[in-house]
Amino acid sequence: MKLYPINAGNFKLDGGAMFGVVPKSLWTRTNPADANNMIDIAARCLLIEDGNRLILIDTGMGNKQSEKFFGYYHLWGDDSIDKSLKAHGFHRDDITDVFMTHLHFDHCGGSVQWNKDKTGYEPAFKNAHYWSNQDHWQWATKPNKREVASFLKENILPMEESGQLKFTALPQKDILKNSALGFDIFFANGHTDKQMIPMIHYKGKTICFMADLLPTVGHLPIPFVMGYDTRPLLTLDEKENFLNLAADNNYYLFLEHDANNEIITVKHTEKGVRLDNLFTCNDIF
């Protein structure tokens, strides 16, 4: 097995929304804001080469939305999925599986693209199966009023219409062992229903793709929960449980949204679980 970071692009989000009720004087210590209160956000995806399978975890925003839409998110840098895949010797047509942690637009928008004539949409990875889970799919295709702006039908429905959509099994408890993709999956419901956190066993280590359970290093303190989370009190419990597991077992936490820190480990302290070590992907992969 080989792992590769895939940078799908960078954007900015309101710092207050990213940290909920946490005072700005605290969260700016780790996530400095610009004059408009915006903080830097990455869309750092992960490619798993395992035998004949090339599994891409998450796909970023994509590029099919309007200029007005992207204007809200202040795109920056020149990273893209295609550029990043090419740097590692791959093409999007090589991808066999696209695993979506959840179906918010900044995690799955790159899964679907305009068709050739720009009259409709088609899967951006024509040879891949697209993986979600049945409960989250129902949640996303019949969205609540809180999340309706994050679940965009053009990002989601073409996966099913193409016949490329598949569902993972659901766990009896929190963790699905040895999923159809070959890795374990931790299910979390605080951010959105049945968000999936891949736990990849790699060269004696466990690499956890943290998605929105832990967006950045700045979110390590348990009360530091995003304003975007639909069930913030549940996030508190899920994050605490997972971070305790991570500290107990020396998990390596791959940060999808942290623009400056790629992988971390954590440790127990008198103040709770806190940062232990910082790593680049090159250090680990």
Side-chain angles (χ1 to χ4, degrees):
M1 179 187 290
K2 294 182 180 179
L3 303 180
Y4 310 90
I6 301 296
N7 298 316
N10 306 293
F11 55 104
K12 292 178 180 287
L13 288 175
D14 182 86
M18 282 297 291
F19 285 91
V21 300
V22 179
K24 182 177 181 180
S25 59
L26 295 181
W27 58 255
T28 51
R29 296 174 185 176
T30 54
N31 298 73
D34 65 16
N36 295 314
N37 211 48
M38 308 294 281
I39 65 173
D40 289 346
I41 299 291
R44 184 179 298 110
C45 308
L46 182 64
L47 183 66
I48 304 171
E49 183 180 15
D50 190 10
N52 293 325
R53 299 183 88 164
L54 273 178
I55 305 168
L56 180 62
I57 301 176
D58 280 357
T59 59
M61 286 191 190
N63 58 13
K64 65 183 177 298
Q65 304 299 332
S66 68
E67 184 176 345
K68 180 180 179 181
F69 177 91
F70 287 124
Y72 296 128
Y73 301 103
H74 308 275
L75 306 186
W76 56 276
D78 60 357
D79 290 324
S80 70
I81 284 182
D82 289 312
K83 181 178 178 180
S84 194
L85 285 172
K86 184 177 180 180
H88 295 300
F90 300 110
H91 186 273
R92 65 174 56 230
D93 292 350
D94 300 327
I95 304 300
T96 62
D97 301 270
V98 175
F99 181 89
M100 295 162 292
T101 60
H102 58 298
L103 295 167
H104 286 167
F105 68 85
D106 58 317
H107 292 260
C108 77
S111 298
V112 173
Q113 63 188 8
W114 285 106
N115 62 18
K116 184 176 181 181
D117 300 323
K118 288 199 172 184
T119 56
Y121 305 101
E122 64 184 11
F125 301 88
K126 65 180 184 181
N127 297 316
H129 293 303
Y130 286 81
W131 292 88
S132 183
N133 67 75
Q134 196 160 23
D135 285 6
H136 183 66
W137 186 264
Q138 288 296 114
W139 186 269
T141 54
K142 298 177 181 179
N144 59 72
K145 292 180 180 179
R146 176 73 180 276
E147 290 180 277
V148 67
S150 293
F151 292 128
L152 307 181
K153 62 182 180 180
E154 64 267 28
N155 285 341
I156 298 172
L157 297 182
M159 304 175 197
E160 183 177 42
E161 294 164 353
S162 69
Q164 293 171 240
L165 179 66
K166 287 184 173 289
F167 293 136
T168 68
L170 292 168
Q172 292 184 344
K173 294 185 179 180
D174 295 334
I175 298 178
L176 176 66
K177 295 287 188 179
N178 194 27
S179 73
L181 283 298
F183 45 73
D184 298 342
I185 304 170
F186 179 86
F187 284 74
N189 299 292
H191 177 62
T192 188
D193 198 61
K194 296 296 187 297
Q195 177 185 200
M196 298 188 288
I197 307 300
M199 303 170 67
I200 303 146
H201 302 297
Y202 172 77
K203 295 184 177 179
K205 301 178 177 66
T206 299
I207 313 295
C208 303
F209 187 96
M210 295 307 295
D212 281 337
L213 183 60
L214 185 72
T216 74
V217 168
H219 289 86
L220 274 173
I222 299 303
F224 285 40
V225 172
M226 290 191 293
Y228 299 113
D229 285 19
T230 59
R231 304 170 178 133
L233 295 180
L234 186 53
T235 296
L236 290 176
D237 290 338
E238 291 173 337
K239 191 167 77 166
E240 184 172 24
N241 290 340
F242 194 90
L243 289 179
N244 280 324
L245 280 175
D248 290 343
N249 296 283
N250 197 36
Y251 291 164
Y252 289 75
L253 309 183
F254 182 99
L255 302 178
E256 182 171 15
H257 282 322
D258 194 314
N260 300 304
N261 304 292
E262 298 179 345
I263 296 174
I264 64 171
T265 54
V266 294
K267 62 184 178 181
H268 294 290
T269 75
E270 293 180 355
K271 294 183 178 181
V273 175
R274 292 291 187 270
L275 178 67
D276 187 15
N277 287 304
L278 294 166
F279 302 92
T280 68
C281 292
N282 286 338
D283 294 332
I284 306 301
F285 304 160

